[in-house]
């Protein structure tokens, strides 16, 4: 027995409000995805279809935007999102040691979520903090000049 996915009335109302501000509904795609993600923590495939119906845009157009932006999560994520910078500068400053500590301590690889849903580990191309690398971001907090030891202590502070 399959269940039918339905956006909440709050999600539909918020997307409909955005339609009042734009003639071209393609301009609303990111906001619509953010509305769903804020409510659910991620954007399931079935939400893409429902957003497409509301905006009268093809599902593939919505999907192309959703998959282009790394901040739109297409699968469930943990309570805390760890973004580690894998730019050239962080590479030169030893981000691989930090990445290895994260993967070993959490028992996950990039893109994975811990079994207890506490952390999701995602790479990003740059966090804009190159002069203080290696750098990671946990949720909205930026941490710089990390060492393997400081990284483990940092993880313990996030429950």
């Amino acid at each position: 027995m399959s269940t039918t996915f339905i956006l909440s009335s709050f999600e539909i109302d918020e997307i409909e409000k955005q339609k009042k501000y734009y003639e071209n509904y393609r301009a609303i795609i990111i906001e619509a995805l953010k509305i769903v993600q804020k409510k659910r923590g991620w954007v399931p495939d079935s939400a893409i279809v429902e957003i497409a119906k509301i905006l009268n845009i093809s599902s593939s157009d919505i999907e192309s935007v959703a998959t282009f932006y790394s901040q739109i999560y297409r699968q469930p994520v943990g309570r805390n999102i760890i973004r580690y910078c894998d730019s050239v500068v962080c590479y030169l400053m030893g981000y691989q040691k930090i990445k290895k500590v994260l993967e070993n301590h959490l028992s996950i690889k990039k893109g994975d979520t811990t079994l207890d849903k506490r952390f999701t580990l995602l790479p990003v191309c740059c966090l804009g903090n190159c002069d203080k690398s290696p750098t990671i971001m946990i949720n909205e907090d930026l941490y710089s000049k990390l060492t393997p030891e400081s990284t483990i202590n940092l993880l313990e502070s996030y429950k």
Side-chain angles (χ1 to χ4, degrees), residues 100-154:
K100 188 172 183 171
V101 165
L102 291 168
E103 290 178 342
N104 289 342
H105 190 74
L106 300 173
S107 299
I108 58 173
K109 298 287 184 192
K110 71 177 180 180
D112 291 343
T113 299
T114 57
L115 291 176
D116 63 1
K117 310 290 185 209
R118 189 170 156 205
F119 293 104
T120 296
L121 183 61
L122 300 174
V124 294
C125 61
C126 186
L127 289 171
N129 202 35
C130 299
D131 62 326
K132 298 174 186 138
S133 62
T135 298
I136 67 170
M137 188 172 215
I138 302 178
N139 302 328
E140 302 301 320
D141 303 320
L142 189 64
Y143 300 96
S144 305
K145 297 183 177 182
L146 293 168
T147 64
E149 296 78 21
S150 68
T151 302
I152 290 172
N153 291 335
L154 183 61

Side-chain angles (χ1 to χ4, degrees), residues 45-140:
D45 290 342
S46 45
I48 299 284
V49 173
E50 294 303 310
I51 291 170
K53 288 177 187 173
I54 293 170
L55 299 181
N56 198 25
I57 297 173
S58 73
S59 296
S60 61
D61 285 348
I62 306 290
E63 177 73 21
S64 66
V65 172
T67 56
F68 179 80
Y69 292 100
S70 64
Q71 302 297 313
I72 301 295
Y73 307 125
R74 298 291 286 122
Q75 60 186 15
V77 293
R79 290 190 310 275
N80 301 294
I81 309 294
I82 302 171
R83 296 175 183 89
Y84 65 90
C85 183
D86 65 355
S87 71
V88 172
V89 174
C90 278
Y91 176 84
L92 294 172
M93 298 302 287
Y95 95 88
Q96 304 96 323
K97 291 179 186 173
I98 304 306
K99 178 185 170 204
K100 188 172 183 171
V101 165
L102 291 168
E103 290 178 342
N104 289 342
H105 190 74
L106 300 173
S107 299
I108 58 173
K109 298 287 184 192
K110 71 177 180 180
D112 291 343
T113 299
T114 57
L115 291 176
D116 63 1
K117 310 290 185 209
R118 189 170 156 205
F119 293 104
T120 296
L121 183 61
L122 300 174
V124 294
C125 61
C126 186
L127 289 171
N129 202 35
C130 299
D131 62 326
K132 298 174 186 138
S133 62
T135 298
I136 67 170
M137 188 172 215
I138 302 178
N139 302 328
E140 302 301 320

